[in-house]
Amino acid sequence: MTLHDSPFLRACRRLPVPHTPVWFMRQAGRSLPEYRRVRADVPMLDACARPDMIVEITMQPVRRYDVDAAIYFSDIVVPLKAIGIDLDIKTGVGPVVAEPIRDAEGVKRLRPLEPGDVPFVSEAVGELVGELGERPLIGFAGGPFTLASYLIEGGPSKNHEHTKALMYGDPQLWADLMQRLAAITVEFLRVQARAGAGAVQLFDSWVGALSADDYRESVLPYTSWIFERLAELDVPRIHFGVGTGELLSLLSEAGADVVGVDWRVPLDKAAQRVQPGTALQGNLDPATLFAPWDAVARRTSDVLSAGSAAEGHVFNLGHGVLPDTDPDVLARLTEYVHTETAR
């Protein structure tokens, strides 16, 4: 088998597969004791800039779960840090920006990202591709709305009130901000793909906070621009956001090859909402993994059944692995999906 023939890449391209491929968002991270040992005294953003740690943490779930793809270990704010934005990731809080960006002067601080800003990315990806062999590496970046929200709010937000106030009240400044963030995102993903990543995922975590009309007017043009620029790389492009049931058609319209679906919408319904020629990824509720195994197996079978309505299906959770998840359940889940779908 070659990398090109891997079950994950074949499913992304809507081709026949030997089994439904599996990977998990946040498969590398706090749920793994080996991750906690490696990260014990190392701040998150330091870990994301050290090739040795990126490689080790990215490989940990591959070794443990035998998933069909690895996801590059990073954080969505890494490219912002790389261009000089003063931010940190606070334990138990998330990304915190020292000086929130809410005016034209602030937006001007967002200079273009250059490959030389993130030399550790190319180094780590190159090592990972060599270690993974026939298993693909998924490149990773945050979507423009989510990055904008962190920058404007100064950290995580439930209501995104400052973000929406700027978006509604100053469309020109919003456009400038989104154009700059879209360009940074494209370059960050290009660096990963050119170093050997076999697919890329745009993770617009908070975009589900928008109505369909607001998404179409204020986000879709920039997301579409990102996917258009990535087309030249000839790698599958995945688009995911949380709470995006009402936006699935638009997420698909933006131009991704694969649309990730959270657990709120069954995959057979999602298949009716996306554009023709789109594969789906998802979408077991992450909380399911805390239930007894028979419940996990039953609900996984339901996801696989619904996923058969899609033109291609990559099994995943409907969001990231929760921190207290038992790793043994994820290993068992991977094996269950592979066995149940063996063709």
Side-chain angles (χ1 to χ4, degrees):
M1 184 180 79
T2 65
L3 176 66
H4 203 71
D5 282 328
S6 71
F8 169 75
L9 291 179
R10 287 184 66 85
C12 289
R13 294 190 169 105
R14 310 183 321 282
L15 298 171
V17 289
H19 59 258
T20 299
V22 183
W23 73 278
F24 304 112
M25 288 181 283
R26 294 198 193 133
Q27 61 189 21
R30 292 172 291 177
S31 61
L32 290 174
E34 55 265 43
Y35 169 84
R36 294 195 293 270
R37 282 194 295 273
V38 169
R39 272 280 327 276
D41 302 312
V42 183
M44 178 66 175
L45 287 173
D46 289 356
C48 291
R50 284 179 45 179
D52 61 329
M53 292 195 75
I54 295 167
V55 171
E56 169 59 22
I57 292 168
T58 300
M59 290 303 299
Q60 285 174 350
V62 177
R63 299 183 198 119
R64 191 186 264 264
Y65 303 141
D66 196 28
V67 283
D68 294 279
I71 176 82
Y72 178 78
F73 174 73
S74 186
D75 188 273
I76 64 172
V77 298
V78 165
L80 300 179
K81 181 80 170 176
I83 63 165
I85 298 300
D86 186 0
L87 55 82
D88 196 9
I89 295 177
K90 300 274 175 69
T91 304
V93 179
V96 176
V97 178
E99 295 179 51
I101 288 176
R102 297 176 185 170
D103 57 26
E105 283 305 308
V107 170
K108 284 177 187 169
R109 304 208 312 264
L110 296 170
R111 67 166 176 83
L113 179 76
E114 298 169 7
D117 296 320
V118 287
F120 51 88
V121 174
S122 300
E123 184 180 337
V125 170
E127 282 188 47
L128 282 164
V129 169
E131 201 162 327
L132 286 162
E134 296 163 352
R135 209 178 309 237
L137 175 69
I138 305 167
F140 167 85
F145 176 81
T146 298
L147 293 177
S149 179
Y150 280 123
L151 288 171
I152 296 166
E153 303 293 338
S157 172
K158 285 183 178 176
N159 301 310
H160 310 277
E161 57 266 42
H162 296 292
T163 307
K164 291 183 178 182
L166 194 153
M167 186 175 78
Y168 299 147
D170 195 338
Q172 191 52 55
L173 183 60
W174 176 260
D176 187 13
L177 172 63
M178 292 295 275
Q179 284 163 355
R180 289 170 187 252
L181 290 174
I184 290 165
T185 298
V186 164
E187 191 55 39
F188 193 57
L189 289 171
R190 271 185 183 148
V191 168
Q192 295 171 66
R194 287 174 176 158
V200 292
Q201 171 157 300
L202 187 69
F203 199 111
D204 215 347
S205 323
W206 306 136
V207 80
L210 296 179
S211 70
D213 285 346
D214 286 342
Y215 181 88
R216 180 179 289 285
E217 182 177 341
S218 302
V219 179
L220 180 62
Y222 311 101
T223 313
S224 299
W225 184 86
I226 290 171
F227 285 125
E228 283 168 15
R229 296 302 177 282
L230 295 174
E232 69 193 43
L233 300 171
D234 195 29
V235 297
R237 300 155 297 169
I238 309 169
H239 196 187
F240 177 76
V242 185
T244 51
E246 295 301 317
L247 304 179
L248 287 174
S249 173
L250 292 166
L251 293 187
S252 176
E253 191 180 314
D257 304 290
V258 185
V259 169
V261 184
D262 79 8
W263 68 93
R264 296 170 177 88
V265 180
L267 292 178
D268 52 350
K269 298 284 194 302
Q272 297 168 6
R273 299 183 189 183
V274 297
Q275 307 290 313
T278 305
L280 296 182
Q281 177 177 283
N283 68 339
L284 186 70
D285 186 337
T288 305
L289 302 178
F290 293 82
W293 174 253
D294 61 342
V296 176
R298 185 176 68 251
R299 295 178 74 91
T300 298
S301 295
D302 291 344
V303 170
L304 293 170
S305 176
S308 65
E311 293 185 39
H313 179 212
V314 175
F315 184 88
N316 207 311
L317 304 179
H319 196 199
V321 174
L322 297 170
D324 295 325
T325 304
D326 181 351
D328 291 341
V329 177
L330 284 167
R332 191 174 180 184
L333 177 59
T334 306
E335 184 181 19
Y336 182 82
V337 172
H338 286 165
T339 303
E340 288 294 300
T341 61
R343 298 172 178 88

